[in-house]
Amino acid sequence: MKLIKTFLMTCMFFLLTAQMTFASDVDRMQGFTPPQATTVTGTDTYNNLVPELVIDKDLSTGWTSDKKSASLDMTFPEPIYLKFVQIAAVSTPASNVTYTIYGLQNDEWKVISNPIAHDVKESTILEPIVITEGSYKAIRISAVSPTSWIGIYEITIGDKLESETPVVEEPNPDPSDNRAILVVTMTPGLEKEFDLSMQEVNSFIDWYEAKQAGSGRASYAIDKHDNNKGPFKSRKDYILFDRVMTFEVSEY
């Protein structure tokens, strides 16, 4: 009896391991498709293009939001050690879409990639997005487009990049150390430019996405720091949500 129990446990371990490391059948994509028990949810869905279609290994089907700012959550049956996420995206019309990856560890969501902008056409397989490597119970892909609804047709994940594939972005354990120029385009076309830390930029993006989902304040205060400070102790620019047309992040 003990021998049979040991044999069954060995088989279960082998099957679980094989499932977690099985290479994706998605053509031209790296890593592997998440395990079958993975659950996928989106902030919203257009028509019948549901979130579950992003892990069906079929580039002709996928999830589409009816908004220009949306996010997709993938929750795994067990934590998975990851180094990158790859996305097959769609945008009609073509657009420059900014993606940010979050990871769930100890019931806390953390930013695990820099915001990365990609030119997305009718069907585009993006370069793998390098993340802060670690073991994650879930990942969240947040996307913002200035002109088109968010569309993702397939997602793969992995713990090893192919050596011949160039890595566009280096992982950054603490994105708040970097800085960026945030340009917010307001109605009727007025542009506001700010030199901020990435932590400040991410806070602005989090506010915008939360408000887009129906929660949060109607305005957001951005500290101008030493820009045109003059005789004042401090200066803040209050951005009204319903006046924001687009925003651009240029990291340096």
Side-chain angles (χ1 to χ4, degrees), residues 45-96:
T45 298
Y46 172 71
N47 206 355
N48 62 343
L49 303 176
V50 295
E52 293 84 354
L53 295 174
V54 303
I55 56 173
D56 66 350
K57 301 181 182 181
D58 186 350
L59 285 170
S60 66
T61 62
W63 165 71
T64 297
S65 164
D66 62 0
K67 295 180 175 62
K68 298 176 183 179
S69 174
S71 62
L72 193 73
D73 288 5
M74 299 174 55
T75 304
F76 312 123
E78 297 291 340
I80 302 178
Y81 189 85
L82 300 174
K83 290 184 179 180
F84 73 90
V85 175
Q86 190 169 24
I87 300 169
V90 62
S91 180
T92 307
S95 179
N96 186 263

Side-chain angles (χ1 to χ4, degrees), residues 36-142:
Q36 291 183 355
T38 298
T39 59
V40 189
T41 57
T43 50
D44 55 88
T45 298
Y46 172 71
N47 206 355
N48 62 343
L49 303 176
V50 295
E52 293 84 354
L53 295 174
V54 303
I55 56 173
D56 66 350
K57 301 181 182 181
D58 186 350
L59 285 170
S60 66
T61 62
W63 165 71
T64 297
S65 164
D66 62 0
K67 295 180 175 62
K68 298 176 183 179
S69 174
S71 62
L72 193 73
D73 288 5
M74 299 174 55
T75 304
F76 312 123
E78 297 291 340
I80 302 178
Y81 189 85
L82 300 174
K83 290 184 179 180
F84 73 90
V85 175
Q86 190 169 24
I87 300 169
V90 62
S91 180
T92 307
S95 179
N96 186 263
V97 185
T98 299
Y99 299 90
T100 306
I101 311 296
Y102 297 78
L104 184 64
Q105 290 180 320
N106 301 320
D107 296 324
E108 180 182 355
W109 286 103
K110 301 177 180 178
V111 179
I112 57 175
S113 82
N114 295 324
I116 299 174
H118 285 279
D119 289 326
V120 180
K121 301 179 180 179
E122 187 170 318
S123 180
T124 307
I125 296 178
L126 311 182
E127 290 290 338
I129 299 176
V130 177
I131 63 175
T132 302
E133 61 182 271
S135 187
Y136 299 102
K137 175 62 178 175
I139 60 171
R140 171 176 296 163
I141 300 173
S142 174

Side-chain angles (χ1 to χ4, degrees), residues 161-231:
L161 285 161
E162 295 178 7
S163 59
E164 68 273 19
T165 301
V167 178
V168 176
E169 296 289 335
E170 291 295 328
N172 188 344
D174 186 5
S176 64
D177 289 342
N178 297 337
R179 298 188 64 81
I181 299 298
L182 172 66
V183 180
V184 183
T185 302
M186 317 286 292
T187 56
L190 173 67
E191 287 190 350
K192 294 179 176 289
E193 182 175 299
F194 307 95
D195 187 349
L196 305 172
S197 68
M198 280 308 304
Q199 184 175 8
E200 291 174 303
V201 172
N202 289 331
S203 295
F204 172 80
I205 294 174
D206 290 342
W207 163 77
Y208 183 88
E209 292 181 349
K211 187 60 181 174
Q212 183 77 29
S215 64
R217 303 185 307 274
S219 65
Y220 187 86
I222 297 181
D223 194 334
K224 287 190 171 184
H225 299 290
D226 293 329
N227 298 339
N228 302 318
K229 188 171 182 180

Side-chain angles (χ1 to χ4, degrees), residues 17-28:
T17 304
Q19 183 185 41
M20 301 293 279
T21 58
F22 184 74
S24 169
D25 291 334
V26 184
D27 186 32
R28 295 175 287 125

